[in-house]
Amino acid sequence: MPTRRTFLAAAGGALATRSLAAGRKPNVILIYADDLGYGDLGCYGSKLRTPNLDRMASEGMRFTNFLSANPVCSPSRAALLTGRYPTRVSVPRVLFPQDKTGLPDNEVTIAGMLKPLGYRTMCIGKWHLGHLPQFLPTNRGFDEYYGIPYSNDMDPPVVLHSTPGKVETVEERATLETLTPRYTEQALRFLERSKDAPFFLYMPHTYPHIPLAASPRFRGKSSHGIYGDVIEELDWSVGEVLAAVKKNGLDKDTLVLFSSDNGPWYLGSPGGLRGRKGTTYEGGVREPFLARMPGRIPAGKVCHGLASTMDILPTLAKLCEAPLPANPLDGIDIWPLLSGHRQLIEREALLYFDNVYLQCARWANYKLHIARYNSAVYSPAPAGGRVNLPLPKPELYDLGTDPEESYDIAPERPEIVKRMQERIARLLAGFPEDIRQAHAQTFEKPTTGSTAAVPRLRQP
Ligand code: MG
């Protein structure tokens, strides 16, 4: 017998499907910043000026518990576009220009899912899922790609333009100062020529990943240095895209999403959360997430429910009535949250990986830390190398009362620790062999001189 909650969720889903079936399929614009902190937007408490993103939040929904699936660039994008943990899709770490790999072609991206339905698809900006032609967006469901295929601190920061079967070099070395306006110009052109068909625009910006650069119009104009300039230019870009949607009369037919891949690096604010890019503390993975679709997503709402970048693909599948990819998904449909019909959706647990290593898990407001590297990320490695080690004892934080992950309550809540360890074991059992092995090997290592005090997880 359905409970009131499940009935409301089902009703919300049916409403979405019915109203969309009457007209064209919804357009989707997914804007993704790079290394933007949880606390870097005005609507998240920042002093940086972000009027367009703040307006987007007031016209749509703002999330406070939205997690990236990884604290660095490539794996977070792999998860975003496939709805699966990066450790499942063979992109567990950052890719570099010397790498010969990328997102495997048996993985279905959001673009690959929507394209067979007649969607026009374009990726503008930082791809970072393989820069060789066979891994570029135009071989992963996109009709067209324009941008630097990896991070702007990687050499050479080449700007590519590709269509299926063709890759052109636009710039051997990008003029970094004008990237954001050029990405924006490309987006506006795409929107103009796609207004008569459903479209999916994926716009992963290069900034605020370092080296930071802003165009003359924004350089030196903020009161927060170059980082502030860059954020203000990104905000301007979002405003241009939203204005183009409105100008083309597509406001109610277009879902616009905004988030980022991981927390702030050397500059930027994690908004009071612990940790930054490259760590599995919340500051490394919790991101702003805004969703706007007038008439379908209630205006001015804040959602505190737990959600993940991996949820976007299954949510779009529901909204756009696309068949789900055959590969098992780790994300869930969060349209009941976006439509305002639910405040929370119960889920097994969300896992936090750093590279191939499982370090934490989240269930409701609880976060369990079980392993951590022996040295800070982006610092000289200690003698013997940087190694992922089990914690002497698991640490449990209640993010509802302790968002800074400062007060370990594991000794007081052993039943929660046990329940979460059981959930971890259940989930890990479904991961590829190399990931399960990495986990097992982590827990074979001593933390100090002796392994006697090291708690053992029940291995899958
Ligand atoms: Mg990043």
Side-chain angles (χ1 to χ4, degrees):
M1 182 160 167
T3 62
R4 181 169 181 275
R5 210 166 62 166
T6 55
F7 172 77
L8 287 177
L15 183 67
T17 304
R18 213 170 35 245
S19 56
L20 293 167
R24 59 184 265 174
K25 287 190 179 290
N27 310 305
V28 180
I29 300 175
L30 173 53
I31 305 173
Y32 206 48
D34 189 356
D35 296 6
L36 180 76
Y38 180 72
D40 277 334
L41 304 184
C43 51
Y44 283 84
S46 175
K47 289 190 168 57
L48 302 182
R49 290 180 301 202
T50 55
N52 291 294
L53 285 157
D54 299 348
R55 193 178 71 250
M56 183 178 162
S58 70
E59 293 172 350
M61 190 173 284
R62 179 172 74 85
F63 281 64
T64 63
N65 264 300
F66 187 78
L67 303 181
S68 175
N70 196 274
V72 291
C73 303
S74 298
S76 60
R77 286 147 209 273
L80 171 78
L81 290 180
T82 64
R84 286 153 58 78
Y85 283 106
T87 40
R88 243 194 243 295
V89 304
S90 308
V91 188
R93 63 168 179 83
V94 168
L95 297 173
F96 291 88
Q98 64 269 27
D99 280 313
K100 308 285 188 223
T101 61
L103 184 70
D105 62 4
N106 62 344
E107 294 294 336
V108 178
T109 66
I110 294 171
M113 179 180 79
L114 296 179
K115 194 170 161 53
L117 306 182
Y119 275 73
R120 290 184 192 166
T121 56
M122 185 167 185
C123 172
I124 300 169
K126 170 176 166 174
W127 173 241
H128 218 179
L129 291 172
H131 69 287
L132 297 177
Q134 64 270 32
F135 297 111
L136 286 178
T138 36
N139 279 310
R140 294 295 178 275
F142 290 93
D143 299 322
E144 192 173 354
Y145 170 61
Y146 178 97
I148 302 179
Y150 34 68
S151 300
N152 50 331
D153 63 343
M154 295 178 178
D155 199 63
V158 60
V159 177
L160 302 179
H161 175 239
S162 73
T163 49
K166 188 176 175 192
V167 182
E168 304 168 82
T169 299
V170 178
E171 278 185 300
E172 296 283 354
R173 304 193 75 83
T175 306
L176 295 175
E177 291 76 12
T178 57
L179 267 186
T180 299
R182 280 189 287 155
Y183 287 171
T184 308
E185 183 187 355
Q186 290 285 332
L188 300 188
R189 278 194 214 156
F190 172 76
L191 294 175
E192 182 63 29
R193 66 177 180 267
S194 303
K195 59 188 176 188
D196 297 324
F199 59 78
F200 171 52
L201 170 61
Y202 172 47
M203 200 171 177
H205 277 280
T206 285
Y207 298 116
H209 193 290
I210 56 174
L212 295 164
S215 68
R217 184 176 165 191
F218 289 90
R219 184 72 178 98
K221 301 293 168 52
S222 80
S223 52
H224 290 83
I226 181 65
Y227 194 92
D229 300 344
V230 163
I231 298 300
E232 291 190 6
E233 189 157 31
L234 278 183
D235 178 78
W236 162 82
S237 173
V238 172
E240 292 295 295
V241 169
L242 288 173
V245 170
K246 189 167 193 173
K247 187 186 105 186
N248 289 330
L250 297 174
D251 242 6
K252 293 193 170 180
D253 295 319
T254 306
L255 171 64
V256 185
L257 304 172
F258 177 90
S259 192
S260 179
D261 63 340
N262 53 255
W265 202 355
Y266 298 102
L267 299 176
S269 168
L273 301 173
R274 186 170 178 176
R276 304 177 75 86
K277 174 179 180 175
T279 74
T280 48
Y281 286 112
E282 290 298 286
V285 290
R286 201 184 305 181
E287 290 300 327
F289 180 53
L290 308 177
R292 178 188 185 274
M293 192 175 194
R296 304 255 168 75
I297 294 177
K301 297 288 185 193
V302 178
C303 179
H304 302 296
L306 181 60
S308 160
T309 47
M310 295 183 293
D311 299 337
I312 291 178
L313 182 143
T315 303
L316 294 180
K318 177 68 167 292
L319 187 69
C320 306
E321 299 177 305
L324 284 172
N327 290 329
L329 299 178
D330 295 300
I332 61 171
D333 170 20
I334 58 166
W335 186 254
L337 298 179
L338 289 166
S339 59
H341 288 87
R342 293 267 295 269
Q343 284 296 307
L344 298 168
I345 299 178
E346 171 112 8
R347 56 201 309 159
E348 176 85 331
L350 276 172
L351 305 178
Y352 298 59
F353 289 92
D354 190 331
N355 203 317
V356 294
Y357 301 112
L358 176 65
Q359 295 189 332
C360 314
R362 174 91 181 259
W363 172 63
N365 273 337
Y366 292 111
K367 183 168 174 187
L368 188 72
H369 288 248
I370 58 172
R372 199 170 292 151
Y373 278 100
N374 62 345
S375 66
V377 64
Y378 306 117
S379 301
R386 189 165 184 255
V387 183
N388 188 59
L389 293 173
L391 296 180
K393 292 179 181 172
E395 297 168 7
L396 181 69
Y397 299 98
D398 180 348
L399 299 184
T401 56
D402 175 25
E404 296 176 5
E405 297 168 271
S406 297
Y407 305 105
D408 177 20
I409 57 169
E412 288 77 26
R413 302 305 301 272
E415 77 287 1
I416 300 290
V417 173
K418 181 169 180 288
R419 184 186 295 180
M420 292 186 73
Q421 285 174 325
E422 288 168 355
R423 287 179 182 232
I424 288 171
R426 271 204 302 275
L427 286 168
L428 262 183
F431 274 75
E433 176 64 23
D434 60 330
I435 303 304
R436 286 186 283 126
Q437 272 186 11
H439 184 70
Q441 285 164 6
T442 292
F443 282 85
E444 287 167 359
K445 292 168 192 156
T447 49
T448 54
S450 164
T451 59
V454 179
R456 299 272 170 170
L457 282 184
R458 194 173 71 186
Q459 295 299 322

